Amino acid sequence: MTHFIFSTFVAILLFSPVDIYSQFSKVTVSGTVKDESKTVLAYVNVVLKQAADSTFVLGTISNEKGIFSFGNVNSGNYILELTYVGFEAKKQAVLVGTLSAFLDLGEIYLVKTPGRLDSVMVKATQQSGVSDKMDKKTFSIAGNISQAGGSVLQAMNNLPGVTISQDGKLQLRGSDKVSVLIDGKQTALTGFGGQEGLDNIPASAIEKIEIINNPSARYDANGNAGIINIIYKTNKQQGLNGKLALTTGLGALWQKRANLPDVRPQYQGTPKINPSVLLNYRKNKVNTFVNADWLYTETLNRNEFTTRFYDTGEIIQQQVKRNRNTSYATVKTGFDYTINNQNTLSISGLFNREKIIDHGDIPYFNNDLTKRNRLWLFVEDEVKYTATASAAYQHKFSRPGHLLNANYNYTWHREDEKYFFTNILPLFTGEDAFKLLSDEHVNDFALDYQRPLKHGRLEAGMKLRYRTIPINMQFYPGINSPIDSSAGGYANYKETIPALYGNYIYESKKIEVEAGLRLEHVRVDYEVNPNHNTYKSDGYTYNQPFPNLRFAYKINDNNKFSVFFNRRVDRPNEVDIRIFPKYDEPELLKVGNPALRPQFTNSIELGYKRGRSKGTFYAAVYHRMTNGTITRIATQVPGSTILYNVFQNAGRSYNTGLELVLQQQLSPVFSYNISSNVYRNTINAFSVTNKYPVPIVYSSGRDLATSGNIKVNGMFHFSKQVELQVTAIYLAPDIIPQGKIGARTSVDIGVKKQVQKGRGELFFNGTDILNTLNIKKEITGTGFRYETVDYYETQVFRMGYGYKF
């Protein structure tokens, strides 16, 4: 591990900083002016000056209620001066921190007798991708040139602490239990409580991405690894404005490995096209917007070669080749209406259609490829629809930052999936099919209250969710069909979650404290077709507290320590408990488990942040302890080569690691950013029973491994119009359920040029330009083991143009 950590510092090659946002770099400062009898004083002159040299910053007067307010104040040390005819001028020290967007100085009293002036001390901070609370990192998509034009999942691949798992899931610090939000809300586009669909959302629609490793109580409690918040582009300038863009590209230019015999050609030279438009019109009290994207792509989605070894001595050579066509269209529109200075109403809607067609070939040969045992051909025809409607009302109290927000969100999501199989065996050919139809309905209502204080703020609120997912899956077996038609039928998932939370934030010159508590009541009922051959209706209920605590000590303006404690939960997704076998591969089936229960995680973390000249250094040591670890377990039915992958609660697991982020501007021409995450995953010994299709017991001893990743990037600013970015990523070997995954490497490059006086922008980039990114796995179960390498499409070259108006 020491060698791995050391390598992060010596590997400062070319790590580019993406455009970065501090958490609250601008603050609104307010207060109320009164006399000694507590009568409000209107039209008092109020001036804000720099503490260091008394330089004038801002000036205003109090209103009829005695309230004054300054907007867009940088964090730092200030002196507040108040003057009023007949009263003694007053000076007061003001500390403008970084933890709250609003600072309420409370009541300030002017007296008619002379008084001495107070001195002031305030802290300034440097903008950094790591927030001053050290609870999250924020990154702009516009600065990520090497991944421009791709999907949101691809855009996040080179962000600190983020990796992509072997099955295409987003991981934070070695865990895929990540809650993904869009504009701060859970939606069907990315999954409720989990993650899905990220590889299809165009990055062109996204403004920035927040990585929140230590969420406060105001966030839903799910996601032990943290939260990814994807923020769509918006614009609120006066008049008509917007952006038009077009991206195109080609992938899979070279074949990584040739097919096994009898397999139809792999996709090569796969086209990509992504036009997008952002329109915004603002006049008087109304702001309207439309954001539309369409993505069409052909992809060699999977090209996996597997060798399976059985204790009987049998060896099987297998390939899974999947050519995918995807069409993804999204329209988001709405308006903001400013009723008056205190009240705002926002209405928005989103419609999405995702169409996927997969053509797959899966041959099974003996060890020397002289005999083909089976050829499985399939066509998957799937279409998904998502529609959301949101209404948000905000009331601003007289004091800036004192807010009440009410939100209602409705989501409808349809999954319409058809599979057609051709099962070619030596003695016959069979044709089989199944159809799945699922409709998801989600109602969310939330109420949030926020009050700024003199040294922080108070947050409180509640949320109520009601969610149902009725599903119908029917099998249509052909001659001598291997399909288990009795495992189909009807199921209905029902989820009810009321929650309350409170969160308090305190900030002084040296100390920061944040303490919160979220209380959740969860009831899940899963109704199963009574004729199902294995599973019965099931569900669970819990009432649990989810506290969060953060304590920080500011050594000086450039050095800070933070300690975090967090408790979170990962509830099984509906697909994790879905009772129907999935026939992507006829000899490696995936099946849900209605008896699956939530996993609960306690996390502790120590963070350190140091401001440097034109740079920042950040380090965090973390430890996560999980009970009821959710994972897939593969078992073999005696007398068969078929393996069944079933979700199970595998007992207790641990994740301990160190994350480092260093960013530095060396000159006006070159800056770099380097990040590393080194962690140890441990899974205690456990024993589970896979019930489908027959009960099979699987036991595992204690398993552990040290893994991690290094990401180095460099940004070259050749002129005001031209930028070049190079990205290099190394992912170390890691453990996965029942096995391990090998090391992975990739290099990306991108160049961007501004044209048309900055209104236009051209870019060209390439991902995995050396074509080295492959996924190698080794899995060992009772009576079998297998080795696999996936040579899926990773190399893509894109070019694009965007114009702002």
Side-chain angles (χ1 to χ4, degrees):
M1 180 184 292
T2 302
H3 175 73
F4 192 85
I5 296 173
F6 176 74
S7 66
T8 66
F9 294 100
V10 301
I12 302 178
L13 302 172
L14 304 165
F15 194 98
S16 78
V18 292
D19 289 348
I20 301 170
Y21 296 78
S22 182
Q23 185 174 11
F24 294 116
S25 58
K26 301 291 186 180
V27 178
T28 296
V29 179
S30 65
T32 302
V33 187
K34 294 183 178 182
D35 63 14
E36 292 177 293
S37 64
K38 297 187 178 181
T39 301
V40 298
L41 296 177
Y43 312 114
V44 175
N45 290 307
V46 186
V47 175
L48 193 67
K49 296 182 177 181
Q50 293 283 358
D53 55 11
S54 295
T55 303
F56 175 85
V57 179
L58 292 167
T60 187
I61 60 173
S62 61
N63 63 18
E64 293 84 353
K65 297 180 180 180
I67 297 174
F68 67 87
S69 174
F70 298 107
N72 296 321
V73 180
N74 293 321
S75 58
N77 290 303
Y78 297 92
I79 295 175
L80 187 73
E81 294 186 357
L82 300 94
T83 56
Y84 193 56
V85 176
F87 290 81
E88 171 66 23
K90 179 165 183 156
K91 292 185 179 181
Q92 178 174 317
V94 176
L95 169 66
V96 178
T98 60
L99 303 187
S100 297
F102 298 91
L103 180 64
D104 183 0
L105 301 178
E107 297 177 348
I108 300 174
Y109 295 96
L110 299 186
V111 297
K112 296 180 180 179
T113 56
R116 293 188 60 83
L117 305 180
D118 295 324
S119 62
V120 175
M121 296 272 308
V122 176
K123 175 175 182 321
T125 59
Q126 182 179 1
Q127 281 195 336
S128 169
V130 181
S131 74
D132 288 292
K133 288 172 61 177
M134 289 186 273
D135 63 336
K136 70 178 180 181
K137 312 175 193 73
T138 306
F139 302 94
S140 165
I141 290 294
N144 197 355
I145 306 172
S146 64
Q147 298 286 348
S151 69
V152 169
L153 186 68
Q154 293 164 344
M156 287 190 282
N157 193 43
N158 63 356
L159 299 186
V162 178
T163 55
I164 308 301
S165 71
Q166 74 277 4
D167 52 0
K169 281 194 171 185
L170 195 70
Q171 292 181 323
L172 288 180
R173 296 175 172 178
S175 172
D176 64 2
K177 295 299 184 286
V178 180
S179 178
V180 180
L181 311 180
I182 290 183
D183 293 332
K185 304 180 182 68
Q186 293 178 340
T187 77
L189 289 180
T190 54
F192 287 89
Q195 54 168 304
E196 59 184 47
L198 293 175
D199 202 26
N200 291 326
I201 298 177
S204 59
I206 307 305
E207 177 71 24
K208 59 184 177 179
I209 295 172
E210 296 178 336
I211 303 173
I212 309 171
N213 292 115
N214 294 280
S216 70
R218 68 187 180 93
Y219 292 98
D220 289 343
N222 50 290
N224 80 51
I227 292 172
I228 297 285
N229 187 23
I230 300 169
I231 300 174
Y232 267 74
K233 291 178 178 177
T234 58
N235 203 339
K236 294 187 177 182
Q237 299 177 18
Q238 288 290 339
L240 178 65
N241 50 83
K243 182 177 181 179
L244 301 173
L246 175 65
T247 299
T248 185
L250 289 175
L253 299 181
W254 293 275
Q255 191 177 86
K256 294 183 180 181
R257 178 173 172 176
N259 289 333
L260 295 184
D262 307 324
V263 174
R264 293 172 293 184
Q266 306 171 18
Y267 265 177
Q268 282 192 263
T270 53
K272 329 283 182 184
I273 183 168
N274 174 211
S276 63
V277 58
L278 171 64
L279 296 175
N280 192 89
Y281 180 72
R282 183 173 185 174
K283 185 176 182 180
N284 300 327
K285 294 184 175 183
V286 179
N287 181 76
T288 60
F289 64 90
V290 175
N291 192 348
D293 266 276
W294 180 69
L295 170 68
Y296 175 79
T297 177
E298 296 178 7
T299 311
L300 180 58
N301 179 260
R302 188 176 176 189
N303 193 28
E304 191 173 64
F305 293 79
T306 302
T307 304
R308 284 189 275 153
F309 305 88
Y310 294 89
D311 288 356
T312 59
E314 184 176 6
I315 299 175
I316 294 177
Q317 299 284 354
Q318 171 191 344
Q319 180 186 358
V320 180
K321 186 223 69 183
R322 184 162 61 207
N323 292 332
R324 171 167 290 183
N325 293 48
T326 302
S327 175
Y328 191 93
T330 303
V331 176
K332 184 180 181 182
T333 185
F335 68 89
D336 305 312
Y337 174 58
T338 303
I339 302 170
N340 51 43
N341 291 335
Q342 282 74 44
N343 298 280
T344 304
L345 177 66
S346 298
I347 304 293
S348 65
L350 179 148
F351 180 79
N352 168 265
R353 180 183 183 271
E354 178 184 359
K355 174 73 171 180
I356 295 176
I357 297 181
D358 285 343
H359 295 272
D361 300 55
I362 311 178
Y364 299 86
F365 287 88
N366 62 354
N367 189 38
D368 59 6
L369 303 179
T370 58
K371 179 183 177 183
R372 192 188 74 192
N373 302 324
R374 166 186 275 179
L375 177 59
W376 183 273
L377 307 177
F378 71 84
V379 176
E380 177 188 6
D381 186 349
E382 181 177 17
V383 61
K384 297 179 181 180
Y385 299 94
T386 301
T388 67
S390 300
Y393 168 76
Q394 182 180 85
H395 174 71
K396 297 179 180 179
F397 295 90
S398 57
R399 195 173 306 280
H402 190 188
L403 304 173
L404 179 67
N405 293 298
N407 295 275
Y408 172 73
N409 297 282
Y410 170 74
T411 297
W412 169 75
H413 178 69
R414 166 164 288 184
E415 182 181 352
D416 189 349
E417 183 179 2
K418 305 179 187 70
Y419 260 81
F420 303 92
F421 307 99
T422 301
N423 185 26
I424 304 173
L425 293 166
L427 299 180
F428 70 89
T429 297
E431 294 185 350
D432 309 274
F434 73 75
K435 176 179 173 60
L436 182 144
L437 184 63
S438 166
D439 278 324
E440 182 173 15
H441 304 272
V442 186
N443 289 273
D444 281 336
F445 175 75
L447 199 63
D448 297 283
Y449 174 79
Q450 180 174 300
R451 180 183 177 87
L453 305 172
K454 187 175 182 179
H455 295 286
R457 70 180 183 272
L458 179 67
E459 301 170 334
M462 56 83 66
K463 183 177 180 180
L464 176 63
R465 166 174 294 167
Y466 180 65
R467 180 180 176 214
T468 62
I469 312 176
I471 304 173
N472 197 329
M473 185 169 187
Q474 299 297 327
F475 291 102
Y476 304 94
I479 300 174
N480 297 318
S481 174
I483 287 180
D484 183 2
S485 59
S486 61
Y490 175 85
N492 193 10
Y493 177 93
K494 299 179 181 179
E495 178 183 87
T496 304
I497 308 177
L500 298 171
Y501 78 88
N503 198 49
Y504 172 70
I505 298 173
Y506 169 82
E507 181 178 15
S508 68
K509 181 181 178 181
K510 289 289 186 180
I511 301 297
E512 297 172 4
V513 177
E514 180 173 2
L517 179 66
R518 189 177 189 91
L519 300 174
E520 282 191 354
H521 168 79
V522 174
R523 179 185 176 94
V524 172
D525 295 299
Y526 190 60
E527 300 172 354
V528 172
N529 168 22
N531 297 321
H532 194 277
N533 56 17
T534 302
Y535 293 124
K536 304 300 178 185
S537 296
D538 212 322
Y540 58 86
T541 300
Y542 70 75
N543 298 282
Q544 290 285 337
F546 297 97
N548 69 277
L549 178 65
R550 184 181 72 88
F551 174 83
Y553 178 71
K554 295 176 272 189
I555 302 171
N556 52 42
D557 287 353
N558 294 318
N559 294 272
K560 180 194 286 188
F561 283 99
S562 275
V563 178
F564 297 87
F565 171 78
N566 220 301
R567 185 170 190 264
R568 301 189 66 77
V569 63
D570 293 286
R571 295 181 292 272
N573 295 314
E574 183 273 329
V575 294
D576 299 343
I577 66 177
R578 189 176 288 181
I579 60 175
F580 314 116
K582 191 168 178 60
Y583 287 89
D584 287 348
E585 301 177 43
E587 297 187 14
L588 182 58
L589 303 185
K590 296 179 181 179
V591 188
N593 177 10
L596 197 64
R597 294 296 182 260
Q599 66 174 28
F600 295 91
T601 301
N602 293 325
S603 302
I604 55 175
E605 179 176 325
L606 174 64
Y608 169 70
K609 182 180 177 183
R610 174 183 173 85
R612 300 156 51 91
S613 176
K614 298 183 180 181
T616 303
F617 173 73
Y618 164 77
V621 178
Y622 56 89
H623 180 64
R624 295 194 292 242
M625 301 157 282
T626 300
N627 287 317
T629 305
I630 296 176
T631 188
R632 278 196 187 272
I633 299 298
T635 55
Q636 176 192 4
V637 174
S640 170
T641 59
I642 299 177
L643 306 178
Y644 293 88
N645 253 325
V646 182
F647 274 109
Q648 295 283 0
N649 293 108
R652 178 166 290 189
S653 63
Y654 307 91
N655 174 250
T656 304
L658 169 67
E659 183 177 4
L660 304 172
V661 179
L662 174 65
Q663 61 183 61
Q664 188 71 45
Q665 181 178 344
L666 294 182
S667 72
V669 175
F670 177 68
S671 56
Y672 69 85
N673 199 329
I674 178 169
S675 71
S676 176
N677 187 32
V678 184
Y679 57 86
R680 168 164 287 192
N681 282 331
T682 304
I683 302 176
N684 282 356
F686 66 92
S687 181
V688 296
T689 301
N690 277 0
K691 292 185 177 181
Y692 185 86
V694 295
I696 300 292
V697 176
Y698 174 79
S699 298
S700 174
R702 188 169 183 263
D703 197 6
L704 57 89
T706 299
S707 185
N709 58 77
I710 300 176
K711 301 183 180 183
V712 267
N713 263 315
M715 181 72 80
F716 296 86
H717 305 267
F718 294 117
S719 69
K720 292 182 179 180
Q721 290 80 32
V722 180
E723 295 179 344
L724 172 69
Q725 178 183 357
V726 181
T727 304
I729 301 174
Y730 171 75
L731 307 179
D734 200 359
I735 60 171
I736 56 177
Q738 296 178 276
K740 61 182 180 180
I741 184 171
R744 290 154 284 166
T745 60
S746 67
V747 176
D748 306 332
I749 190 169
V751 61
K752 178 172 68 175
K753 177 178 175 57
Q754 292 184 357
V755 295
Q756 298 167 301
K757 298 181 179 181
R759 288 185 173 271
E761 183 177 274
L762 293 168
F763 77 85
F764 174 81
N765 63 28
T767 59
D768 191 24
I769 60 174
L770 303 180
N771 220 17
T772 56
L773 186 56
N774 304 317
I775 295 179
K776 300 178 182 180
K777 294 184 292 183
E778 296 180 13
I779 302 294
T780 301
T782 303
F784 72 92
R785 69 179 180 89
Y786 65 85
E787 301 171 354
T788 179
V789 183
D790 193 349
Y791 298 94
Y792 68 109
E793 177 185 315
T794 57
Q795 186 185 71
V796 179
F797 292 93
R798 293 183 177 90
M799 62 184 301
Y801 168 76
Y803 179 78
K804 296 179 181 180
F805 60 90

